[in-house]
Amino acid sequence: MFKLGLCLSCVFCLVSLAHAATPIKIGLNYPFTGEYKEEGLMQKRGALMAVAEINAAGGVRGRPLELLERDTHSDADKARMNVDALVAEGAAMLFGGASSSVAIAASEQARRHGLLYFGTLTYSNDTTGKDGHSHMFRECYSAWMAARVLGEYLKKEMPGKRYFYITADYTWGQTTEASMREFTGTTDVQEHGAVKVPFPGARYREISAAVDAAAKSGAEVIVMVLFGEQMVQGMTLAEKQGLTQRAQIIVPNLTLSMVEQAGPFIMAGVIGAVPWAWNIPYEREYVRGKQFVEAFSREFRTRPSSSAASAYSIVYQWKEAVERAGSLSSDAVRKRLQGHRYQLLKDEQYWREFDQQNVQTVYAVKVKDRSLVMKDAYRQNFFEILHSLPGDKAAPSLAQWQEQRQRHQRPLQLE
């Protein structure tokens, strides 16, 4: 009897250990091909780094994390299919983005499966605005938040200028242009013209025609609401036409990868916004942020972009919420995230309850002269901080959020 009891105890222990070692799978739905592939690569690197660190420290509740991944190719239909595939493989949480239309589509599909979706790079106001729902959390800032910090700086430093907008024609571009117009006082479309560029798949001639229209407008400020490879093409054409010398170029949402693709010579002097940049932890003395930059730089021989920082932060935030909840349940984790305040790579951030937007400091930046960029060990010291706004001032209020929801006939609480 004693021997049988001992054997059963041994079996129980072995089963328990096997269960404890079973990986918890998380799914990254991101572009590693297509127009936003460089941003996708940064997300993957940030996620891999977080997973490796967490596993080295004992995993999540004693279980290691395993990263699953799928290529969205910046296509909404492909992103939905990827969600189904990742769920079938056992993913407990999903995250990713680069195109807001993709992130919105993927998050809606995740909700159908009862899983949380975290947006890494999805700037459209719609993501946590009219299309927000109970299973969507956005780590990065919104178009509204970026436009607000830029608008405050530009109205003070460049008052009374005539603007022209070149805009990617989808949810991110549309809401970014609308927000920029509101916060720069350029809502008169006759005075401050615009041209739309198809997304995805804009042809070179279409981007060229848009830049030509901007050049002919005589505007003193050109707002290039383009991202990824479209922005690189637009800036290359603007430099060839001499626009970078005779007008101030604004790229509302800048990233390290985009500046590097276009090159610091072309991008020098361009103004935009960022939620995070690798030099900020050094200038503001954020210890954990500096540790992240140094570890990332050693591992990948490049500085991390805001895309990498977002993916890294999401993995940690989900892991810690699971531990606070004592469960992988999406409902339990969601409750532990809402209202949660933390400091990781910068100053304090928090997940706002009513829209599940991450509220954080936002920055207006200017791309440095090439001579300063080249002084960095990786030649990526791109951004000079011009202005910053605390998250609560930058983000839309509850009343403004509800007004947007009401205008689109959406419920005034997340469902």
Side-chain angles (χ1 to χ4, degrees):
M1 193 69 177
F2 174 78
K3 290 181 180 179
L4 178 60
L6 180 60
C7 289
L8 288 174
S9 296
C10 291
V11 170
F12 178 76
C13 288
L14 288 171
V15 170
S16 297
L17 287 170
H19 177 72
T22 302
I24 299 172
K25 299 176 181 180
I26 57 176
L28 178 60
N29 200 17
Y30 74 113
F32 60 81
T33 57
E35 292 169 299
Y36 291 172
K37 62 180 180 293
E38 295 300 324
E39 304 304 330
L41 176 60
M42 278 289 185
Q43 290 178 53
K44 179 178 177 179
R45 286 169 168 170
L48 286 171
M49 190 168 160
V51 167
E53 289 179 358
I54 289 167
N55 286 345
V60 180
R61 305 185 71 210
R63 297 170 62 184
L65 286 180
E66 179 183 340
L67 184 68
L68 308 176
E69 56 184 87
R70 288 290 185 281
D71 180 12
T72 66
H73 197 68
S74 295
D75 179 84
D77 290 334
K78 184 71 165 62
R80 290 188 191 94
M81 290 188 289
N82 287 351
V83 168
D84 293 339
L86 290 165
V87 170
E89 285 192 53
M93 174 274 273
L94 302 169
F95 64 120
S99 158
S100 289
S101 56
V102 165
I104 290 167
S107 75
E108 289 171 347
Q109 194 69 5
R111 176 171 58 166
R112 294 186 182 100
H113 290 284
L115 290 186
L116 298 182
Y117 197 96
F118 293 81
T120 48
L121 205 63
T122 166
Y123 299 139
S124 171
N125 294 335
D126 295 343
T127 303
T128 49
K130 78 175 180 67
D131 293 317
H133 56 80
S134 61
H135 286 62
M136 177 58 156
F137 285 81
R138 170 163 47 190
E139 197 282 334
C140 65
Y141 63 7
S142 66
W144 174 292
M145 295 166 75
R148 191 148 196 179
V149 71
L150 285 170
E152 193 167 286
Y153 175 80
L154 292 169
K155 287 179 78 173
K156 179 182 177 183
E157 300 295 330
M158 302 177 192
K161 302 295 185 182
R162 189 146 59 93
Y163 283 56
F164 190 89
Y165 292 82
I166 301 173
T167 302
D169 195 11
Y170 77 110
T171 180
W172 165 69
Q174 294 155 7
T175 62
T176 298
E177 180 182 327
S179 297
M180 284 294 296
R181 285 184 179 277
E182 179 173 350
F183 291 116
T184 57
T186 57
T187 54
D188 184 343
V189 296
Q190 300 302 316
E191 176 69 13
H192 308 281
V195 64
K196 296 290 192 293
V197 172
F199 180 87
R203 296 179 176 86
Y204 180 85
R205 62 177 174 79
E206 291 168 319
I207 297 175
S208 180
V211 174
D212 286 344
K216 291 173 183 175
S217 73
E220 298 149 296
V221 179
I222 309 298
V223 184
M224 200 170 288
V225 192
L226 303 176
F227 203 74
E229 291 180 2
Q230 284 194 349
M231 191 284 304
V232 173
Q233 286 187 349
M235 282 301 304
T236 302
L237 288 162
E239 195 274 332
K240 285 181 179 178
Q241 293 215 21
L243 267 178
T244 55
Q245 301 302 312
R246 65 177 188 265
Q248 175 62 61
I249 307 293
I250 309 296
V251 176
N253 297 119
L254 281 170
T255 70
L256 177 148
S257 299
M258 285 162 53
V259 176
E260 186 164 51
Q261 281 179 274
F265 175 78
I266 289 176
M267 294 297 291
V270 170
I271 291 173
V274 297
W276 186 87
W278 73 263
N279 56 303
I280 290 172
Y282 292 89
E283 294 183 24
R284 305 292 172 95
E285 288 298 321
Y286 302 138
V287 175
R288 181 72 181 275
K290 288 195 285 187
Q291 291 171 347
F292 166 70
V293 172
E294 288 161 13
F296 190 99
S297 301
R298 285 194 304 270
E299 180 68 23
F300 300 110
R301 310 306 299 170
T302 182
R303 300 299 192 189
S305 73
S306 55
S307 310
S310 180
Y312 178 89
S313 299
I314 284 167
V315 176
Y316 266 102
Q317 279 295 289
W318 180 79
K319 173 251 189 191
E320 291 170 9
V322 166
E323 291 175 339
R324 291 195 302 273
S327 169
L328 293 172
S329 160
S330 291
D331 287 341
V333 172
R334 177 177 179 248
K335 290 174 184 175
R336 291 295 184 167
L337 282 168
Q338 289 181 331
H340 177 65
R341 293 177 179 267
Y342 65 98
Q343 185 172 354
L344 187 60
L345 303 182
K346 52 193 286 190
D347 53 348
E348 187 180 71
Q349 302 172 238
Y350 71 95
W351 300 98
R352 195 160 61 175
E353 291 188 49
F354 68 78
D355 59 355
Q356 298 180 167
Q357 168 67 48
N358 192 288
V359 179
Q360 57 182 293
T361 301
V362 297
Y363 306 89
V365 298
K366 186 175 184 177
V367 180
K368 295 178 181 179
D369 184 83
R370 184 177 179 275
S371 62
L372 297 174
V373 169
M374 301 303 282
K375 290 181 179 179
D376 174 53
Y378 296 91
R379 300 178 180 180
Q380 294 174 321
N381 186 19
F382 294 132
F383 300 127
E384 173 192 354
I385 301 171
L386 301 174
H387 184 50
S388 65
L389 276 180
D392 283 318
K393 186 175 180 181
S397 67
L398 172 60
Q400 289 165 327
W401 181 80
Q402 288 181 330
E403 190 277 328
Q404 183 192 15
R405 298 278 289 188
Q406 196 165 37
R407 190 168 67 248
H408 293 280
Q409 299 182 329
R410 301 296 170 87
L412 299 184
Q413 292 184 330
L414 296 180
E415 293 181 344

